[in-house]
Amino acid sequence: MMNLPYEVNTALEMLKNAGYEAYIVGGCVRDSLLGAVPKDHDITTSALPQQTEAVFKSFRVVETGIKHGTVTVIINGMPLEITTYRIDSEYVDCRRPTSVSFTKSLQEDTARRDFTMNAIAYNPTDGLADFHGGAEDINNRIIRCVGCPDERFQEDALRIMRAVRFSSVLGFNVENETKKSLFKNKALLDNISRERIASEFIKLLCGKDVFRVLTEYKEIIAQIIPEVSPMFGFDQHSRYHIYDVWEHTAKVTESIQNEPVLRLAAFFHDIGKPHCFSMKDGEGHFYGHASISEGICKKVLSGLKLDNKTKDTVTQLVKLHDVQIDEAQAAVKRFMSRRSPELYYMLLKLKRADTLGQTPKVIDRLEMLDRMEKLADEVLSAEACFSLKDLSVNGSDIISLGVRPGRIVGQTLEALLEKVIAGELKNEKQELLASAKEILGVGEK
Ligand code: ATP
Ligand code: MG
């Protein structure tokens, strides 16, 4: 017996009372069986799209994907996707189906779904409808294709990414035949749009088992991002590292909070290392690796068609991941002034994860990073001045001293800010103006 939201029950009831079959299906059933709260509920029904629209004529209905049989019904503000039982056919180029046909059979609808765990339907009257052994696979925490894996991956190669993504997110293993087929068919991923790949890849990175999945499925990752292969097995020859570059990358990725921007930054931070390796006195060095990583990261993220904000933040973090910031308020303020407090905190998270991915003997460095975080907390809670907008004088104040508007105004403000940050001046108007006069060489008139 599953606990369904009132709105979902209402929709199932209304379809049933109108003489149709209706079930929740897919991710929501899987997540409920796992004891998790589903993030949405998809409904599958024997009603044709027009019939569904008629049943819900007193509700707001959006024809979201009418040619795929999907209408969205909004009940109490909750959007519910209701899709007619269907069979997908005629896959071209291993991508989305070019045509769909509707069916009266729930069993046929479940057979088109990717994995057994995603092919279970449920409603309160009939209970579970599990034609492919999905509940047992969920119990055993196994990802298994519905039907013949080679055929299913050849129909739609995105399923390869979905399998690996679910393995990372749910912590499930992939059943052996399905797993062999993943590797065998990986080249088909080249036919899938970069946007769809990127969306699965980011979910994969945010999974709790990302370390295992990145190491177990590295050839699949290399298929979508060939730039990673030089990292595989690359020995760092460093007393600070017990892992090769790829394992280190995977460790750092798992050690950072599971926000897309942070996980992406961790994933790319050392991708340039194999391109700048040198040895001296038995120790490996990677001079300039952060900027090489930055370049590769920028190119790959553009290829994945990510939005500019994500791309910029990730690239900045990669570029800065190795900079040393002095353990002093002034240095912290300078960083936050030039970049932003948000970037500072993200960078500390990256540095902390980077440290955790090295040798286990890193307590000192972690303590140092804790102190760096406290410094920033202090700066922000004291509402200390660290940017031009915090300064107690502005451009007009400088101009009123008798200088012409122009670059000199900004330069003077920058110079004052630097003095305040360095603790040489208080952030007080009179004191700042006096200093500005000195800088500008204008006397009292
Ligand atoms: P998530 O938690 O990511 O939403 P989900 O299983 O709900 O996981 P969706 O992409 O929302 O995934 O898809 C809903 C359902 O549609 C899946 O559970 C599965 O039954 C089916 N499905 C989605 N994508 C595919 C695909 N590429 N091939 C076959 N079936 C698919
Ligand atoms: Mg879903």
Side-chain angles (χ1 to χ4, degrees):
M1 193 64 195
M2 276 184 208
N3 238 338
L4 301 186
Y6 164 82
E7 293 80 0
V8 175
N9 263 325
T10 305
L12 293 175
E13 277 288 298
M14 287 178 68
L15 285 161
K16 182 178 146 201
N17 293 341
Y20 305 109
E21 294 175 15
Y23 295 82
I24 57 167
V25 69
C28 59
V29 180
R30 178 198 69 224
D31 291 344
S32 301
L33 290 176
L34 280 168
V37 179
K39 56 181 182 325
D40 51 27
H41 289 80
D42 294 329
I43 293 174
T44 185
T45 179
S46 60
L48 293 169
Q50 288 75 11
Q51 295 171 326
T52 301
E53 287 185 81
V55 171
F56 295 97
K57 59 181 178 301
S58 59
F59 292 82
R60 225 179 101 213
V61 174
V62 191
E63 296 189 348
T64 28
I66 201 90
K67 55 175 195 307
H68 294 110
T70 303
V71 295
T72 299
V73 175
I74 294 148
I75 302 180
N76 266 346
M78 180 189 280
L80 289 170
E81 286 198 356
I82 304 180
T83 305
T84 305
Y85 292 166
R86 65 174 220 227
I87 307 170
D88 299 336
S89 48
E90 276 191 72
Y91 286 87
V92 178
D93 292 344
C94 323
R95 281 181 293 182
R96 293 177 209 260
T98 44
S99 72
V100 302
S101 42
F102 300 131
T103 164
K104 288 280 160 220
S105 153
L106 173 64
Q107 180 161 6
E108 282 183 345
D109 178 273
T110 61
R112 77 175 164 88
R113 297 174 183 272
D114 48 5
F115 307 114
T116 59
M117 63 179 184
N118 289 343
I120 312 171
Y122 172 87
N123 73 24
T125 322
D126 306 309
L128 289 183
D130 181 9
F131 299 99
H132 311 281
E136 194 187 336
D137 283 340
I138 290 176
N139 256 328
N140 297 324
R141 310 183 72 80
I142 283 174
I143 298 167
R144 182 200 309 268
C145 280
V146 173
C148 165
D150 281 349
E151 281 172 23
R152 303 313 309 281
F153 293 137
Q154 283 156 21
E155 278 171 4
D156 179 1
L158 187 73
R159 292 169 187 158
I160 296 170
M161 281 306 291
R162 284 173 59 88
V164 181
R165 179 260 281 197
F166 282 123
S167 181
S168 175
V169 172
L170 302 173
F172 284 19
N173 281 313
V174 180
E175 173 277 328
N176 258 330
E177 288 308 306
T178 301
K179 183 168 173 178
K180 268 192 251 160
S181 182
L182 285 177
F183 289 107
K184 177 173 157 201
N185 292 293
K186 67 181 171 29
L188 301 176
L189 282 167
D190 296 351
N191 301 313
I192 304 296
S193 84
R194 297 305 280 172
E195 288 87 343
R196 295 177 83 206
I197 298 261
S199 150
E200 294 297 332
F201 173 63
I202 290 172
K203 288 181 189 162
L204 180 164
L205 285 186
C206 291
K208 61 178 178 199
D209 260 9
V210 63
F211 174 78
R212 175 183 57 80
V213 165
L214 288 180
T215 41
E216 194 171 340
Y217 297 99
K218 59 179 187 294
E219 291 89 355
I220 309 262
I221 307 299
Q223 187 69 38
I224 57 163
I225 308 175
E227 289 86 348
V228 299
S229 335
M231 290 195 273
F232 300 167
F234 198 99
D235 187 340
Q236 314 212 47
H237 295 280
S238 162
R239 73 191 110 126
Y240 303 111
H241 285 278
I242 54 170
Y243 301 112
D244 70 36
V245 179
W246 180 247
E247 290 163 347
H248 166 70
T249 294
K251 262 278 175 249
V252 177
T253 306
E254 185 161 288
S255 303
I256 207 164
Q257 195 184 325
N258 65 345
E259 286 285 321
V261 165
L262 294 173
R263 290 267 162 126
L264 283 164
F267 182 83
F268 286 105
H269 81 288
D270 273 352
I271 197 169
K273 267 193 173 175
H275 304 285
C276 57
F277 178 70
S278 64
M279 277 285 254
K280 192 165 179 259
D281 304 329
E283 271 287 306
H285 297 280
F286 300 93
Y287 297 115
H289 78 275
S291 69
I292 301 178
S293 296
E294 179 199 2
I296 299 173
C297 171
K298 199 180 246 170
K299 184 174 147 251
V300 173
L301 293 184
S302 302
L304 289 172
K305 314 263 170 74
L306 295 195
D307 63 284
N308 283 333
K309 183 159 186 282
T310 304
K311 212 167 65 186
D312 292 348
T313 314
V314 172
T315 325
Q316 288 226 47
L317 287 169
V318 170
K319 172 175 148 193
L320 297 170
H321 82 266
D322 230 13
V323 301
Q324 296 300 322
I325 303 171
D326 286 345
E327 207 185 311
Q329 280 214 354
V332 173
K333 286 180 192 168
R334 265 181 217 116
F335 184 96
M336 296 198 298
S337 154
R338 220 165 289 158
R339 320 279 175 179
S340 68
E342 294 72 35
L343 199 73
Y344 179 85
Y345 284 107
M346 287 194 270
L347 185 59
L348 286 190
K349 286 181 179 158
L350 181 54
K351 283 175 169 290
R352 194 171 281 125
D354 196 4
T355 306
L356 290 169
Q358 296 175 3
T359 72
K361 299 177 229 138
V362 291
I363 304 298
D364 290 357
R365 231 181 106 79
L366 291 175
E367 284 174 357
M368 185 272 283
L369 290 167
D370 287 343
R371 291 195 302 273
M372 296 295 288
E373 182 172 338
K374 248 182 97 206
L375 277 175
D377 293 346
E378 284 161 14
V379 168
L380 294 179
S381 67
E383 294 183 24
C385 163
F386 63 85
S387 73
L388 287 180
K389 67 173 169 17
D390 304 326
L391 209 55
S392 299
V393 294
N394 60 24
S396 341
D397 296 322
I398 303 298
I399 291 166
S400 72
L401 296 175
V403 298
R404 290 225 198 93
R407 275 187 45 196
I408 188 74
V409 176
Q411 287 166 350
T412 308
L413 289 170
E414 291 284 358
L416 291 175
L417 175 63
E418 176 50 35
K419 281 173 186 285
V420 172
I421 287 176
E424 294 162 18
L425 267 184
K426 286 215 191 74
N427 187 23
E428 285 170 6
K429 192 159 182 176
Q430 291 316 316
E431 209 172 307
L432 290 169
L433 286 177
S435 175
K437 283 179 196 162
E438 235 171 75
I439 294 171
L440 293 161
V442 295
E444 300 281 351
K445 296 222 172 98

